[in-house]
Amino acid sequence: MKIKIKIAFFTGILFSFFSCGISKSIHHQPELKGYSQAKPVVVKHSDTLFSSGPNYLIKNKQKLWELYVSGDPLQRGLTIGALSEPMVKKQQELFFSRIQTFIPSKFKQRLLRGFLNWYNRKLYINIPEEYQSEIYGISQYTSDDFNWVAPKYLRSLYLHGAHDIGHAMQDLALVGCSSMAVWGAKTDDGELLIGRNFDFYAGDEFAEDKIVAFITPDQGHPFMMVTWGGMVGVVSGMNKEGLTVTINAGKSKIPLVAKTPISIVAREILQYAANIDQAIAIAKKRQVFVSESIMVGSAQDKKAVLIEVSPNNFGLYDVQNNDQLVCSNHFQSDAYKTDERNLETIATGHSKYRLDRMNELLSEKEQMNPLKMAEILRDTKGLKDKKIGYGNEKGINQLIAHHSIIFKPESRRVWVSSNPYQLGEYVAYDLNAIFSKKENDFVVLGTNSLNIPKDGFLDSEAYRNYEKYKEQSKIIDKAIAQKETLDDAFITAYQNLNPDFWMVYDKAGQYYFGKRRYIAAQAEFEKALAKEITTVPDRIRIEKYLKKIRRRK
């Protein structure tokens, strides 16, 4: 009885502590005084064009949605939500329905809700009021189906922190971005040129409805960004001043409390900075909770730098006497020279390999232009043009990209890839023309004459085989997990779809090992070791399998 009383007592104290810690956050609402809360009226012109006043959403022939919106924070949020309501609901459906699949128990869902409230207790303190108001506006168009997670506004706020958690978990193959910048003698016209692949993968459906947004805020600079339904943070974008922002994940601990999401820091830089010094000042004043490299390109400064942020450190990587800068998923500034996590990433991961490959290709191409940049961003090979298999994270093009983007800041031009990945046509946009166009002129915003053609790989048998490989990988993964039986012919055919990729042999080895067919498993694991394996931990894991097999002989 005494033990039960003690448990109840300490449980009560713990609950009171958590309640005190989260009470303000779960009841917080943004300051909306002075803003009109009237919901916008949306006119549907067709299945691909919707408008509200001078604002509109249109789908181009490359199947990119183009969003043109202006106003104060709440007006922007309400208008974005009203125009893109199906996409906002779809993204939350994709995310939270998966959670329901993983956690079907109502009791465990309530526990998750409590944990999210506690974990995100400081999120509202660290997101500027302006962006809270914008998120609030969008949240009015989200579904009630997921109120078990949190009310609409809190749920939408939490999702901006969840994106950073995905970056922190890059070891789970959620993200492995690559970016590069060249200028001066390295480009055909001397102008700054930047390219990046945003390899944040959350399933194929996540990338189906890309939005190229053009925002004219009531304060700050007009800007464009590539985004998805419900997201106000920035992962890739350029403003009217010719300042660009892209983000690349670094090695992070799983954070214990959410603070300022990186995408919100990037948004603030994009909206309020006109040059590199202003971008640095904004980044320094925000407390982040994951590690990230923010590449900032500037038309004013005619170069790019890396702002490297983490919860307990800050670095600036500014190349001297050079006209190119490359970035993958590790830090390069002096501030992180002795950082153990960063050194581990360089030594055991795929980040340095991709960085070396970018440098290798840039050294081979003189007088860079947007077309040559697209060629590098689409490259699937390894160092010295080695065939490393399609989907290998050591490749610049891992065939998982949500989007790929190219900037010419001094010309205010942007190219955004269309599906699939970065293989579709890159659509060109001229920010000078877009932000000076007539109101109520509901037209597609791209400049088709400047588009970069789709990759020829898209029409190849190798590409068709890669898509089949992705589908058949699900079958073999299920067979491994559930001890199902597959024909050996299926295994062989599966491997022939992507024969240079180590993973097809690794999966076969795991399958045969589970079936206690150790000779067959050994042969497959040895084939895997002969290929370009993505990380050192992957190689060690395969070697452990082989040791187990040899002990059984």
Side-chain angles (χ1 to χ4, degrees):
M1 177 63 74
K2 287 183 179 180
I3 292 174
K4 289 182 179 179
I5 291 172
K6 285 182 179 179
I7 291 172
F9 175 73
F10 285 113
T11 300
I13 290 177
L14 190 63
F15 180 80
S16 298
F17 174 76
F18 279 177
S19 296
C20 291
I22 68 173
S23 179
K24 285 186 178 180
S25 67
I26 62 176
H27 294 104
H28 173 76
Q29 294 283 295
E31 180 56 64
L32 302 177
K33 288 181 181 178
Y35 298 144
S36 170
Q37 297 189 40
K39 288 196 171 183
V41 176
V42 174
V43 177
K44 180 179 179 180
H45 301 267
S46 69
D47 289 340
T48 58
L49 174 60
F50 305 84
S51 70
S52 178
N55 309 294
Y56 68 100
L57 177 72
I58 190 169
K59 195 173 193 178
N60 64 26
K61 69 176 184 179
Q62 292 84 9
K63 298 184 179 180
L64 294 174
W65 286 99
E66 298 172 351
L67 177 68
Y68 186 88
V69 170
S70 62
D72 64 42
L74 183 59
Q75 287 172 338
R76 295 195 304 265
L78 289 169
T79 304
I80 291 169
L83 290 172
S84 61
E85 182 175 1
M87 285 174 273
V88 172
K89 287 182 174 177
K90 178 181 176 180
Q91 292 298 345
Q92 290 208 0
E93 168 74 24
L94 287 172
F95 189 82
F96 291 116
S97 61
R98 286 181 184 175
I99 292 178
Q100 282 183 307
T101 301
F102 292 136
I103 310 175
S105 163
K106 297 295 184 183
F107 173 71
K108 290 181 179 178
Q109 287 176 7
R110 287 195 295 272
L111 289 179
L112 175 64
R113 177 185 177 123
F115 170 75
L116 288 173
N117 288 338
W118 174 78
Y119 181 81
N120 291 293
R121 65 195 181 278
K122 293 185 179 180
L123 192 60
Y124 78 100
I125 299 171
N126 289 281
I127 294 181
E129 194 74 31
E130 174 182 2
Y131 304 131
Q132 290 187 47
S133 298
E134 191 170 327
I135 291 169
Y136 178 88
I138 294 174
S139 74
Q140 303 310 295
Y141 294 89
T142 58
S143 172
D144 290 318
D145 293 345
F146 304 106
N147 286 346
W148 61 268
V149 177
K152 289 181 175 182
Y153 166 63
L154 279 183
R155 192 168 73 236
S156 298
L157 203 66
Y158 291 174
L159 279 173
H160 286 77
H163 176 260
D164 280 37
I165 297 300
H167 272 204
M169 293 180 176
Q170 63 169 306
D171 290 340
L172 301 181
L174 288 171
V175 60
C177 305
S178 304
S179 55
M180 65 203 90
V182 289
W183 58 89
K186 193 63 184 175
T187 60
D188 62 0
D189 57 5
E191 288 190 10
L192 174 62
L193 179 68
I194 299 169
R196 82 87 117 251
N197 288 336
F198 182 64
D199 291 318
F200 185 84
Y201 185 72
D204 291 341
E205 287 182 286
F206 173 71
E208 284 178 352
D209 295 308
K210 284 191 276 283
I211 299 173
V212 186
F214 299 87
I215 311 293
T216 302
D218 61 336
Q219 296 181 42
H221 308 296
F223 63 92
M224 68 76 59
M225 63 178 180
V226 183
T227 187
W228 51 89
M231 177 71 163
V232 309
V234 167
V235 295
S236 304
M238 181 167 78
N239 68 25
K240 196 178 177 183
E241 300 300 308
L243 184 120
T244 70
V245 178
T246 58
I247 57 176
N248 284 35
K251 183 75 170 182
S252 295
K253 292 181 181 179
I254 303 300
L256 297 177
V257 62
K259 293 186 179 178
T260 309
I262 291 293
S263 65
I264 295 296
V265 178
R267 166 68 185 269
E268 190 174 6
I269 290 171
L270 196 63
Q271 187 173 337
Y272 289 102
N275 55 47
I276 289 170
D277 285 343
Q278 291 174 7
I280 293 169
I282 291 170
K284 279 185 174 179
K285 72 180 183 180
R286 295 297 174 197
Q287 281 191 307
V288 300
F289 63 105
V290 294
S291 301
E292 201 93 8
S293 293
I294 305 172
M295 180 178 279
V296 176
S298 167
Q300 283 189 24
D301 299 291
K302 300 182 185 300
K303 67 175 184 179
V305 300
L306 295 176
I307 301 173
E308 299 178 336
V309 298
S310 63
N312 301 307
N313 205 350
F314 186 96
L316 179 68
Y317 187 59
D318 184 359
V319 293
Q320 302 296 320
N321 303 315
N322 203 341
D323 48 15
Q324 72 180 48
L325 174 67
V326 295
C327 178
S328 50
N329 296 108
H330 63 271
F331 292 140
Q332 301 176 66
S333 68
D334 289 340
Y336 295 90
K337 288 291 186 185
T338 59
D339 184 276
E340 291 184 4
R341 286 182 176 275
N342 192 51
L343 292 173
E344 180 188 3
T345 298
I346 294 170
T348 66
H350 47 75
S351 180
K352 186 178 184 301
Y353 189 99
R354 269 185 293 114
L355 185 133
D356 290 343
R357 178 59 174 167
M358 284 186 277
N359 278 322
E360 181 179 70
L361 291 176
L362 285 171
S363 70
E364 294 173 1
K365 293 181 183 290
E366 296 181 359
Q367 302 296 295
M368 286 287 292
N369 57 35
L371 180 58
K372 290 180 180 179
M373 183 64 78
E375 290 172 354
I376 293 178
L377 293 171
R378 287 168 167 170
D379 181 72
T380 58
K381 294 179 180 177
L383 290 168
K384 298 181 180 179
D385 291 334
K386 180 180 179 180
K387 292 183 178 181
I388 59 175
Y390 298 114
N392 195 322
E393 288 175 277
K394 283 187 170 179
I396 297 170
N397 176 8
Q398 302 166 33
L399 294 171
I400 60 170
H402 176 271
H403 67 266
S404 181
I405 191 165
I406 298 168
F407 302 102
K408 271 181 70 74
E410 292 164 73
S411 299
R412 309 300 195 268
R413 286 177 178 165
V414 184
W415 288 259
V416 179
S417 68
S418 56
N419 284 335
Y421 322 118
Q422 56 272 70
L423 302 179
E425 190 174 5
Y426 278 81
V427 180
Y429 296 97
D430 184 332
L431 267 60
N432 285 330
I434 290 168
F435 287 120
S436 61
K437 80 176 195 67
K438 295 178 182 178
E439 282 194 355
N440 300 314
D441 188 12
F442 305 139
V443 295
V444 291
L445 298 167
T447 306
N448 287 335
S449 61
L450 297 175
N451 287 1
I452 296 172
K454 69 177 184 179
D455 192 340
F457 175 65
L458 196 54
D459 297 320
S460 69
E461 183 180 5
Y463 171 72
R464 291 190 291 273
N465 284 343
Y466 172 73
E467 291 299 328
K468 290 178 185 175
Y469 149 79
K470 285 174 59 181
E471 291 304 312
Q472 293 192 10
S473 288
K474 297 174 186 176
I475 296 172
I476 195 167
D477 286 343
K478 183 171 177 283
I480 293 168
Q482 300 183 12
K483 307 294 184 183
E484 295 175 351
T485 299
L486 299 172
D487 290 337
D488 286 1
F490 174 87
I491 301 288
T492 301
Y494 166 70
Q495 292 174 331
N496 288 337
L497 294 173
N498 200 358
D500 297 309
F501 194 24
W502 67 274
M503 200 173 283
V504 298
Y505 306 104
D506 175 44
K507 288 182 186 292
Q510 291 182 57
Y511 170 78
Y512 288 130
F513 187 89
K515 293 295 182 181
R516 299 184 179 182
R517 294 175 58 183
Y518 299 121
I519 294 175
Q522 179 177 347
E524 298 300 337
F525 284 132
E526 287 174 348
K527 289 177 189 175
L529 288 176
K531 301 296 181 180
E532 190 65 58
I533 294 179
T534 304
T535 68
V536 171
D538 286 324
R539 177 172 290 277
I540 291 172
R541 177 181 55 78
I542 292 172
E543 289 170 345
K544 285 181 178 178
Y545 268 115
L546 287 171
K547 287 179 182 178
K548 289 178 183 178
I549 291 169
R550 289 170 187 139
R551 283 199 297 266
R552 293 173 185 272
K553 288 184 176 180

